[in-house]
Amino acid sequence: MSLFKKSPKALVQKKGKEVIVGITAYDYTSARVVEEAGVDFILIGDSGGMVMLGQEDTYQVEMEEMLIFARAVSRGAPNTLRIGDLPFLSYQVSREQAIYNAGRFLKEGRCHAVKLEGGQEVSHLVEAVVKAGIPVMGHIGLTPQRATELGGLKVQGRDEETAKKLIEDALSLEEAGAFAIVLECVPEVLAKEITQKLKIPTIGIGAGRYTDGQILVFHDVVGLFPDFRPKFVKRYFNGFEELKSAVSSYVKEAKEKKFPAEEHIF
Ligand code: KIV
């Protein structure tokens, strides 16, 4: 596997040529699954705080926890581009803090790049991290680390003023050196316009059909997070029910002394 295949540059070169497909992962086993399924990149997302640790939002997950996820994913998917998601308060404080924690994702988490949330207000941080040699993916639209400021997890850029602001945000991140931008929960027409204005790829989640790529949360794709299903999610497997049924069969058979059977005994 050439190093280039795993580099953010290889992702940028796909713009306009093929759809870029990403997914989140947080542990060794799911990382193996998604690598074998052929994704173009893996995001070790701060959504891991919710789907792996049971937290109610993405404000709580710590850098140390993200690094545990990142190391596990790196072991499970050694041949895939891996992007570490900087958690809340791990980059906003200063350029130095952003560079330090972004660097930890590469040095300790064995990732190839990082993602951080925000538009013009974080462009100076993106620029500083990129100048330190660490590729950065931006993330605008619905930014869950600003959910309280945004008044909840709502579609963004529905009116002219907020749409204009999102276009300016995207251009400012590109100018700062971001190699791609996640557009989360924005109207399809706006996502299309941003995609056409940028030289770098856009990766949509709830942003319609015209972004350069798509990303979804692993647990949503395989139906392992039954509490809540956003409109933009397509569930490809009823994981929670299927796993529950398998474990229930084990419990039943063990209780009834049908397991272990002859073939399981030494
Ligand atoms: O943490 C995450 O899962 C994300 C995706 C929704 C893009 O940031």
Side-chain angles (χ1 to χ4, degrees):
M1 166 72 52
S2 86
L3 260 185
F4 182 70
K5 265 196 99 178
K6 286 189 282 179
S7 78
K9 277 203 176 102
L11 211 69
V12 178
Q13 288 190 355
K14 292 184 198 277
K15 184 173 173 104
K17 296 194 189 109
E18 63 175 280
V19 178
I20 299 165
V21 184
I23 194 164
T24 66
Y26 320 91
D27 67 283
Y28 172 78
T29 305
S30 62
R32 284 190 65 181
V33 171
V34 303
E35 175 162 294
E36 287 198 24
V39 295
D40 294 306
F41 74 93
I42 298 175
L43 174 71
I44 296 96
D46 63 354
S47 49
M50 296 173 74
V51 298
M52 298 297 289
L53 304 178
Q55 296 165 350
E56 64 178 336
D57 50 45
T58 59
Y59 283 101
Q60 302 169 59
V61 68
E62 298 288 347
M63 191 62 209
E64 298 303 330
E65 292 164 333
M66 292 300 299
L67 287 171
I68 293 172
F69 296 153
R71 283 194 288 270
V73 169
S74 297
R75 289 189 287 266
N79 299 316
T80 305
L81 171 63
R82 302 179 298 274
I83 302 170
D85 202 6
L86 283 161
F88 181 65
L89 226 52
S90 70
Y91 58 95
Q92 293 93 337
V93 176
S94 64
R95 289 178 175 82
E96 290 74 16
Q97 188 209 28
I99 295 170
Y100 178 68
N101 282 319
R104 293 188 74 194
F105 265 119
L106 271 64
K107 191 179 165 86
E108 300 171 46
R110 309 302 293 140
C111 292
H112 306 99
V114 298
K115 174 171 87 57
L116 59 83
E117 294 185 9
Q120 290 158 89
E121 69 285 359
V122 297
S123 289
H124 65 294
L125 300 174
V126 171
E127 191 181 348
V129 175
V130 171
K131 276 196 178 143
I134 302 164
V136 178
M137 174 180 265
H139 181 165
I140 57 172
L142 171 54
T143 44
Q145 292 180 18
R146 285 176 177 263
T148 44
E149 186 196 6
L150 299 174
L153 302 178
K154 297 183 197 149
V155 177
Q156 302 295 307
R158 279 198 192 274
D159 58 63
E160 208 176 308
E161 193 188 329
T162 54
K164 186 166 167 274
K165 158 101 173 55
L166 283 176
I167 294 170
E168 284 163 7
D169 282 340
L171 290 169
S172 138
L173 291 172
E174 179 173 72
E175 172 79 24
F179 72 87
I181 302 179
V182 170
L183 302 179
E184 179 165 355
C185 285
V186 298
E188 186 177 68
V189 284
L190 175 59
K192 186 177 183 183
E193 187 175 345
I194 294 175
T195 301
Q196 286 167 346
K197 281 192 189 308
L198 296 182
K199 289 180 210 70
I200 56 173
T202 56
I203 310 293
I205 172 161
R209 292 161 289 183
Y210 303 109
T211 49
D212 296 302
Q214 300 288 336
I215 181 162
L216 283 174
V217 168
F218 175 81
H219 289 61
D220 289 336
V221 173
V222 300
L224 276 177
F225 196 64
D227 312 1
F228 168 67
R229 185 190 333 185
K231 177 176 164 48
F232 58 78
V233 165
K234 179 165 179 187
R235 195 178 273 177
Y236 289 83
F237 182 59
N238 198 2
F240 192 88
E241 289 308 320
E242 294 291 335
L243 292 185
K244 191 170 86 183
S245 153
V247 178
S248 304
S249 300
Y250 157 64
V251 172
K252 187 169 179 292
E253 289 193 4
K255 294 266 184 205
E256 291 171 356
K257 294 191 180 293
K258 291 186 181 146
F259 172 82
E262 201 61 45
E263 67 267 31
H264 308 118
I265 299 162
F266 299 107

